């Protein structure tokens, strides 16, 4: 492999690549050579970081088709470096971090084989130590070491054994609910359905909900199947959310749960079949936490003005920060370190991390936190959706993703940044438009009632040559007016930025 091939495997704070043949134009890049080289380099770097030669590394995986090959290759590389290996089998990403907090297990680090919600042919590696996951620069350094062939020298081969941690992890969630509610079976009489999308989240039914007394008949797609034959396991996917919503209504459930492939994200559905994701999910967990203690809720940049108002009215402060789950988590940690209580860092994608849970983005823990409130409210004859009955919701909302023309693609980062700066300079002079205060990413514009009655955010994608444009309006047809205004603002860059999608939306 050439150095650039190694470096191209970086995806933010993870390693990701194509792991299964058969998709035209998408050759396998996460090869045995790549996996083995990365694991050997990881053992080398970890030994240096921890100052010890004998390491224990846990390796788990989600339901992807390539999991067996990659786990076997990773285990062989780690054992060949003298590391003892714990194979945890089908696991959730959060459980691979929680395993490291168990002193009696004695693992120094863990590796999760997953590519989250990406298509079936993809796979990847996530890394954890007891302190958390790596920064992007650490992944870059790891891939640099792998390209150089770095490996931990070993006098003898490490041992490999199985340790199914997911049972212990699930038992901890059950114990948490029982302690919070003071009841052995607090979900008795409640029908709760889970849609695991054939990912790794099926364990939640038998290992968490059933011991708590829930009726889980009607749960679907619990068996792991890396082809994802029913729908993509992704709470942001409209088809996936429609699937769980329809099932809740079909079986008369009190609550519905959907997980992504590796269970670090989740969404929900109430008894009426109404989706609880994005702003509604943020509002729900915020209401629960703020009722316990006022504090600051950190979200990503695309949350609505109605959510900000909701958080304020529930005694909280809203910090709308940058996209990227690590960004919001790091911001919440920074606020707490400075003495400002921030109990929650959450993205509209469903990544939610709570201060009380190591700031780990854990979909199963998030859902479990919601179920505590569901059980408590049920005793008072109330439904959990009552907690967000006062959430102002926009009449319209949309996202348009703008690509770059051939003339702009080669230098898209500079062109995108220039366009955003130009909009920031121009908006104050435009009638009915104003720049939103306290904005940390891209340019967020407020539109008065005469010019669309809402807001828009233009930002650069974290990883792709794309300018995502999000907008909301409280008026019928308002988003079209906002889109038309954005076309005018971006018109000087029409040669480099492809405005076709935005223009089409404005003409709808």
């Amino acid at each position: 492999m050439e150095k650039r091939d190694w470096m191209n495997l970086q995806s933010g704070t993870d390693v990701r690549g194509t792991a299964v043949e058969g998709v035209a134009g998408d050759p396998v890049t996460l090869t045995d050579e790549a996996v083995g080289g990365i694991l050997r380099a990881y053992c080398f770097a970890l030994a240096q970081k921890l100052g010890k030669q004998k390491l224990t590394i846990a390796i788990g995986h989600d339901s992807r088709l390539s999991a067996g090959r990659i786990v076997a290759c990773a285990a062989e590389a780690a054992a060949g470096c003298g590391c003892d290996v714990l194979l945890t089998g089908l696991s959730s990403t959060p459980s691979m971090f929680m395993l490291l907090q168990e002193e009696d297990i004695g693992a120094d680090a863990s590796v999760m084989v997953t590519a989250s919600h990406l298509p079936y042919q993809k796979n990847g590696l996530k890394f954890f130590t007891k302190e958390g996951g790596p920064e992007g620069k650490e992944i870059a350094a790891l891939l640099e070491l792998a390209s150089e062939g770095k490996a931990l020298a070993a006098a003898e081969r490490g041992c490999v054994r199985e340790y199914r941690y997911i049972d212990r992890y699930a038992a901890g969630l059950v114990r948490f609910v029982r302690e919070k509610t003071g009841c052995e079976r607090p979900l008795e009489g409640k029908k709760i359905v889970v849609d695991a999308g054939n990912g790794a989240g099926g364990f939640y039914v038998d290992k968490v909900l059933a011991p708590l007394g829930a009726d889980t008949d009607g749960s679907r797609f619990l068996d792991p199947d890396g082809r994802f034959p029913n729908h993509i396991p992704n709470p942001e996917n409209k088809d996936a959310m429609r699937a769980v919503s329809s099932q809740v209504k079909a079986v008369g459930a009190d609550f519905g749960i959907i997980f992504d492939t590796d269970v670090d994200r989740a969404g929900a559905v109430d008894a009426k079949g109404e989706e609880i994701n994005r702003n509604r999910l943020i509002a729900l967990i915020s209401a629960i936490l703020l009722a316990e203690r006022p504090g600051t809720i950190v979200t990503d940049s695309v949350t609505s003005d109605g959510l900000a108002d909701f958080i304020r009215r529930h005694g909280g402060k809203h910090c709308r920060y940058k996209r990227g789950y690590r960004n919001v988590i790091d911001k919440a940690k920074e606020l707490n370190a400075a003495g400002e209580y921030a109990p929650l860092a959450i993205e509209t994608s469903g990544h939610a991390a709570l201060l009380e849970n190591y700031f780990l983005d854990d979909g199963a823990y998030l859902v479990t936190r919601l179920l505590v409130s569901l059980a408590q409210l049920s005793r008072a004859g109330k439904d959990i959706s009552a907690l967000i009955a006062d959430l102002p919701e926009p009449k319209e909302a949309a996202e348009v993703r703008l690509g770059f023309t051939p003339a702009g693609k080669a230098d898209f980062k500079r062109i995108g940044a220039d366009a955003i700066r130009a909009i920031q300079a121009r908006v104050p002079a435009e009638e009915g438009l104003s720049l939103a205060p306290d904005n940390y990413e891209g340019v967020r514009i407020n539109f008065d009632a005469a010019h669309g009655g809402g807001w828009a955010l233009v930002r650069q994608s974290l990883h792709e040559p794309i300018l995502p444009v999000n907008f909301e309006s409280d008026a019928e047809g308002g988003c079209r007016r906002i889109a038309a205004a954005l076309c005018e603002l971006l018109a000087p860059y029409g040669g480099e930025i492809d405005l076709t999608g935005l223009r089409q939306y404005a003409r709808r």
Side-chain angles (χ1 to χ4, degrees):
M1 291 173 64
E2 299 292 332
K3 181 176 179 179
R4 67 174 177 273
D5 298 324
W6 292 99
M7 305 313 291
N8 285 340
L9 292 171
Q10 180 172 7
S11 177
T13 57
D14 303 336
V15 167
R16 288 184 183 175
T18 300
V20 173
E21 295 179 342
V23 177
D26 195 10
V28 171
T29 55
L30 198 61
T31 60
D32 288 359
E33 178 187 359
V35 174
I38 292 168
L39 260 293
R40 285 189 288 271
Y42 185 61
C43 295
F44 173 84
L46 188 64
Q48 286 192 326
K49 179 180 179 179
L50 300 181
K52 56 190 295 189
Q53 286 294 109
K54 186 64 175 178
L55 302 170
T56 299
I57 297 177
I59 303 175
H61 62 85
D62 67 16
S63 61
R64 291 177 176 274
L65 297 175
S66 55
R69 172 181 71 83
I70 294 175
V71 167
C73 189
E76 172 62 28
C81 289
C83 301
D84 290 338
V85 177
L86 302 178
L87 297 178
T88 64
L90 188 68
S91 305
S92 73
T93 291
S95 74
M96 296 305 293
F97 170 79
M98 293 303 296
L99 174 149
L100 300 176
Q101 310 309 312
E102 310 278 6
E103 292 295 333
D104 62 302
I105 295 176
D108 297 293
S110 63
V111 180
M112 176 66 179
V113 178
T114 181
S116 188
H117 62 281
L118 293 184
Y120 79 93
Q121 76 270 21
K122 303 293 185 180
N123 216 328
L125 304 167
K126 292 186 176 183
F127 302 90
F128 293 103
T129 63
K130 294 178 182 179
E131 289 71 40
E135 301 286 345
K137 62 184 180 182
E138 294 174 278
I139 293 296
L142 173 62
L143 293 172
E144 180 93 27
L145 292 174
S147 73
E148 297 169 0
K150 295 292 186 182
L152 180 63
E156 58 181 20
R157 181 181 175 83
C159 69
V160 179
R161 63 184 177 90
E162 293 186 358
Y163 181 80
R164 305 292 180 179
Y165 177 70
I166 198 71
D167 291 352
R168 184 167 168 178
Y169 167 81
L173 296 177
V174 171
R175 185 167 58 251
F176 174 80
V177 176
R178 287 171 174 166
E179 290 173 353
K180 281 283 188 178
T181 60
C183 182
E184 185 75 8
R185 294 171 64 83
L187 299 179
E188 197 88 64
K190 290 292 180 184
K191 179 180 277 291
I192 300 174
V193 297
V194 172
D195 184 328
N198 302 110
F203 77 91
Y204 200 81
V205 171
D206 291 334
K207 298 185 188 301
V208 179
L209 292 176
L212 294 172
D215 173 0
T216 60
D217 286 348
S219 293
R220 298 196 300 175
F221 316 139
L222 306 181
D223 294 331
D225 186 337
R227 297 168 299 165
F228 309 130
N230 296 291
H231 61 69
I232 295 172
N234 181 5
E236 281 195 294
N237 181 270
K238 292 181 180 180
D239 291 337
M241 287 305 299
R242 277 195 292 266
V244 66
S245 177
S246 297
Q247 186 67 357
V248 165
K249 290 186 282 188
V251 303
D254 298 291
F255 198 65
I257 299 165
I258 182 169
F259 294 117
D260 78 337
T261 317
D262 61 331
V263 203
D264 61 358
R265 293 186 296 129
V269 173
D270 69 13
K272 297 178 182 178
E274 294 185 6
E275 297 174 8
I276 304 176
N277 63 351
R278 300 182 66 80
N279 288 294
R280 288 170 58 82
L281 181 63
I282 298 172
L284 182 56
I285 186 60
S286 295
I288 291 168
L289 295 174
L290 293 174
E292 297 173 358
R293 179 182 171 186
T296 299
I297 305 298
V298 182
T299 74
D300 61 2
S301 58
V302 299
T303 48
S304 70
D305 290 342
L307 175 65
D309 181 57
F310 176 90
I311 290 171
R312 283 192 295 270
R313 285 186 285 105
H314 282 255
K317 176 182 174 183
H318 183 207
C319 175
R320 186 188 282 127
Y321 200 55
K322 301 174 184 177
R323 287 279 278 182
Y325 70 95
R326 285 298 296 268
N327 288 329
V328 294
I329 290 172
D330 288 347
K331 185 62 176 178
K333 289 180 177 179
E334 174 191 317
L335 293 175
N336 281 288
E340 182 176 345
Y341 175 63
L344 175 66
I346 184 168
E347 271 201 304
T348 48
S349 65
H351 278 290
L354 279 69
L355 170 63
E356 67 189 36
N357 190 45
Y358 302 93
F359 270 127
L360 173 67
D361 51 319
D362 184 345
Y365 186 85
L366 171 66
V367 164
T368 302
R369 205 50 162 89
L370 300 182
L371 292 179
V372 169
S373 291
L374 184 146
Q376 293 170 335
L377 289 166
S378 180
R379 294 175 187 172
K382 298 179 181 178
D383 189 86
I384 193 169
S385 59
L387 294 179
I388 55 173
D390 60 333
L391 173 66
E393 303 207 49
K395 189 173 289 291
E396 298 178 345
E399 179 180 86
V400 175
R401 297 168 69 81
L402 304 179
F404 288 79
T405 66
K409 191 167 290 187
D411 199 14
F412 71 91
K413 288 186 178 180
R414 180 191 62 79
I415 292 167
D418 286 350
I420 288 170
R421 281 194 294 268
I423 294 173
Q424 287 172 327
R426 184 174 165 184
V427 162
E430 297 290 321
E431 182 181 355
L433 278 60
S434 61
L435 295 174
D438 303 323
N439 183 59
Y440 290 95
E441 182 174 31
V443 55
R444 189 178 177 107
I445 309 163
N446 291 327
F447 295 76
D448 69 14
H451 295 82
W455 59 269
L457 174 70
V458 183
R459 62 182 178 87
Q460 287 191 291
S461 170
L462 296 175
H463 306 298
E464 303 173 272
I466 289 172
L467 289 179
V469 181
N470 295 84
F471 37 95
E472 291 186 358
S473 174
D474 295 322
E476 193 78 37
C479 280
R480 290 199 304 274
R481 298 187 65 183
I482 291 172
L486 290 173
C487 285
E488 290 298 317
L489 291 171
L490 287 166
Y493 290 86
E496 294 88 17
I497 300 172
D498 185 357
L499 303 179
T500 303
L502 198 58
R503 288 170 177 152
Q504 289 176 342
Y505 188 92
R507 291 194 297 266
R508 287 197 335 172

